[in-house]
Amino acid sequence: GSPAPAPAPPPVADASKVDMCTILADPELASLGVQPSTRKNFNNSGVIGCRWQGKSYTLSMERANSTLAGYRAHRNDPGFINFADNAVNGRAGSHFGVDKSGSQCAQLMDGGSAAVSVSVAVSRNVTPAPVDPCAEALRIAQMVEPRLPKLS
């Protein structure tokens, strides 16, 4: 007979308890060119997460204080540049630029009561940019997504 499959965790859409600071292990961060020892925790009005310095960019991963739908409702706000909906491994998401220079991009993922975000900021004074911030944020989000609570 075949081995019994491991019991699946109960499907939950709620990412409000997810710790974005530890969702990727240090070796995974290092493989992205990020220095795990540079981790700084932050809590900006309920947006909780961590920031790391990398060779070519700064990585921020956070749990937002709003839902994905809440962000999407503000897609035309001046603070969101080129806001577009997408998917991360089939999970609903959106991404947007944070500054007009295109040096920072945030990738949101649906986490039920709280969206989660992966943001990549490249140095403005490095030309050409070492990575495309939106493509890199999406690539990292695809590593994070399988560890988020699953939607039912």
Side-chain angles (χ1 to χ4, degrees):
S2 55
V12 281
D14 183 8
S16 65
K17 303 281 189 292
V18 170
D19 183 353
M20 293 298 284
C21 296
T22 56
I23 200 158
L24 292 183
D26 285 358
E28 293 172 303
L29 292 167
S31 76
L32 296 168
V34 174
Q35 293 153 327
S37 61
T38 62
R39 181 171 100 179
K40 291 202 169 37
N41 296 59
F42 60 82
N43 180 346
N44 300 331
S45 32
V47 177
I48 302 167
C50 280
R51 185 176 297 115
W52 295 263
Q53 297 301 316
K55 290 188 190 70
S56 47
Y57 58 83
T58 301
L59 169 65
S60 302
M61 297 201 295
E62 62 201 34
R63 191 174 72 233
N65 56 358
S66 169
T67 61
L68 181 63
Y71 275 98
R72 287 178 168 179
H74 292 279
R75 64 175 60 244
N76 297 318
D77 287 13
F80 296 146
I81 298 158
N82 298 330
F83 193 106
D85 297 334
N86 64 354
V88 179
N89 303 341
R91 182 185 293 258
S94 300
H95 66 95
F96 58 88
V98 183
D99 59 37
K100 292 193 168 51
S101 70
S103 65
Q104 184 173 359
C105 189
Q107 173 67 53
L108 297 167
M109 289 180 278
D110 186 2
S113 64
V116 297
S117 165
V118 174
S119 149
V120 168
V122 296
S123 302
R124 288 195 181 87
N125 52 7
V126 180
T127 323
V131 293
D132 173 331
C134 287
E136 189 68 4
L138 176 59
R139 186 169 82 90
I140 298 166
Q142 287 167 338
M143 293 170 63
V144 169
E145 188 278 334
R147 300 172 196 192
L148 294 175
K150 290 284 178 257
L151 297 165
S152 49

